Amino acid sequence: RGDDQSYRLARQGLVNLGLDPDRPFIICHPGMGGSALNPSPHIYLKLIEQLEKNRQLPILLSVVPLPKDQEILKELLSKLPGLKVIQGQPLPVLREIFRLADTVVAPSTGPLHLAHMVGTKTLGLYPPVKSQRKERWAPWGGSGEVRVIDPNHACAGTTDCIGEKC
């Protein structure tokens, strides 16, 4: 566990959202600010619906104030208005929120690695583009269990998706 103040603020933030910090919940961080190919909001919507159905645990969205991430948030909330959202937390508090979560689902981005480093189970979503693949960017070095989903096809793109050519 991190420092006591961050831990208390994390727990209080969860309570303020109507979540019990002592009960399992899942965090979905659907954005990455454009640093790599990200699943569409439609994919995240299907994933969240499956997680709710299969795991029957509360889902908490984690987002940052980047324009692309806010667009994804807006679209997800238009389809699932009851989702709870955590944003704007200082890094030490976010660290403790991730530590309290059962699982963190995210693309290849900092929050996925943070969750892994604090010992939380992670489900990473990776694109097939060669420079963005799981073999290069999957979490390592932490203690959280890591699972990865990536498309089962070889992409001819080296650094970017080549779309229709693929």
Side-chain angles (χ1 to χ4, degrees), residues 76-98:
L76 291 175
L77 289 176
S78 75
K79 305 282 195 249
L80 298 170
L83 284 174
K84 306 211 183 283
V85 180
I86 191 92
Q87 60 183 328
Q89 295 295 321
L91 189 57
V93 175
L94 186 62
R95 173 193 68 213
E96 295 307 314
I97 291 170
F98 281 10

Side-chain angles (χ1 to χ4, degrees), residues 20-91:
D20 180 347
D22 295 320
R23 304 217 34 174
F25 63 95
I26 297 171
I27 294 175
C28 181
H29 185 89
M32 62 185 335
S35 61
L37 187 62
N38 194 15
S40 69
H42 176 73
I43 297 293
Y44 282 112
L45 181 65
K46 288 174 60 175
L47 179 62
I48 290 168
E49 288 172 339
Q50 279 300 116
L51 286 169
E52 286 179 327
K53 179 181 173 187
N54 294 340
R55 296 289 307 274
Q56 297 182 343
L57 296 177
I59 306 287
L60 175 63
L61 288 182
S62 164
V63 295
V64 297
L66 297 171
K68 286 184 180 185
D69 293 18
Q70 292 296 311
E71 288 174 27
I72 293 170
L73 173 63
K74 184 177 177 182
E75 190 163 339
L76 291 175
L77 289 176
S78 75
K79 305 282 195 249
L80 298 170
L83 284 174
K84 306 211 183 283
V85 180
I86 191 92
Q87 60 183 328
Q89 295 295 321
L91 189 57

